[in-house]
Amino acid sequence: MEIIKIIGIGLIALIIIIMLKQYRPEYAIFISILTGILILFLVMDRLTGIINLIQSIEDKFSINTQFIALLIKITGIAFLSEFAVSICKDSGEAAIASKIELGSKIIIISMSIPIISSLLEIILKILP
Amino acid sequence: MSIDLLFKIAAIGILVAVLYQVLVRAGREDQAMMTTLAGLVIVLTMVIKEISNLFDTVRTLFNL
């Protein structure tokens, strides 16, 4: 049922953008940003369900909670930066899009350093 | 946070476009520029409010 809403909003926004692009191109970008936000809010409650599921699994099997929290944080960063990158590319600013992508990659790598270091420790322990 | 926000912004955009043409035809280019800027600022504040709303939701969701 929700998918119909998402497709409907997308098509309506597309028509509005095409109509506005010839007179006021800057409003077209506003509408594309707002459509992205609107669709993300539509699927937000399912996303919370998924994240709660992950956290409940984490408690049950007592996996190292620090890594799971970090993974969820990294997904959030990727989620937001992809949102910004696609908008910048859409409006023709590929340079800004690549800068945002670069920044988000560096932040993700810097956040995942503890995971890498603990992985190396485990490997060293296993080796004779 | 629903579809009528899109229609509101489309309406403002069309209104500003029409006002711009009317004012330019009437020979008042500076006031035409003013109305365009005013429309832009209004829509920008609405969009920024929605963007901050999105960022807060994502921050609480992914506990960033």
Side-chain angles (χ1 to χ4, degrees):
Chain A
M1 177 44 208
E2 232 163 63
I3 188 64
I4 296 173
K5 229 185 273 184
I6 290 173
I7 294 172
I9 289 176
L11 291 182
I12 290 170
L14 181 68
I15 295 161
I16 294 176
I17 282 175
I18 288 172
M19 187 181 65
L20 269 178
K21 206 152 217 170
Q22 49 201 356
Y23 301 109
R24 288 280 134 218
E26 62 269 16
Y27 289 91
I29 296 168
F30 286 143
I31 289 192
S32 70
I33 292 174
L34 270 176
T35 325
I37 293 174
L38 207 58
I39 291 177
L40 289 185
F41 269 116
L42 275 179
V43 292
M44 208 50 102
D45 46 4
R46 288 177 194 269
L47 208 58
T48 44
I50 292 169
I51 287 176
N52 295 343
L53 174 76
I54 291 172
Q55 267 149 4
S56 66
I57 287 175
E58 170 199 344
D59 303 338
K60 221 173 292 170
F61 300 120
S62 74
I63 304 166
N64 189 335
T65 57
Q66 185 224 353
F67 292 157
I68 302 287
L70 210 59
L71 283 185
I72 291 177
K73 234 188 255 275
I74 286 173
T75 355
I77 292 175
F79 188 81
L80 280 181
S81 70
E82 192 277 334
F83 180 77
V85 161
S86 56
I87 287 172
C88 289
K89 278 205 178 110
D90 205 14
S91 57
E93 295 300 328
I96 299 176
S98 65
K99 293 302 169 291
I100 294 175
E101 222 169 305
L102 180 74
S104 69
K105 277 180 192 148
I106 288 172
I107 289 173
I108 286 174
I109 290 171
S110 69
M111 281 177 73
S112 62
I113 282 174
I115 296 185
I116 297 169
S117 59
S118 71
L119 180 69
L120 290 180
E121 278 153 27
I122 292 168
I123 292 172
L124 288 180
K125 251 183 263 166
I126 292 169
L127 290 181
Chain B
M1 194 53 226
S2 65
I3 190 117
D4 63 351
L5 206 60
L6 286 186
F7 298 138
K8 222 182 282 180
I9 289 185
I12 293 177
I14 294 165
L15 188 69
V16 163
V18 167
L19 273 178
Y20 184 82
Q21 294 299 337
V22 164
L23 284 171
V24 163
R25 290 288 178 280
R28 299 197 191 289
E29 276 76 12
D30 47 358
Q31 281 161 5
M33 172 59 76
M34 286 307 149
T35 49
T36 318
L37 286 182
L40 205 66
V41 164
I42 291 168
V43 173
L44 200 59
T45 45
M46 287 160 66
V47 172
I48 283 174
K49 192 157 49 72
E50 289 311 320
I51 289 177
S52 74
N53 197 354
L54 170 80
F55 280 160
D56 291 342
T57 323
V58 168
R59 184 180 296 126
T60 52
L61 193 66
F62 291 100
N63 48 58
L64 278 175

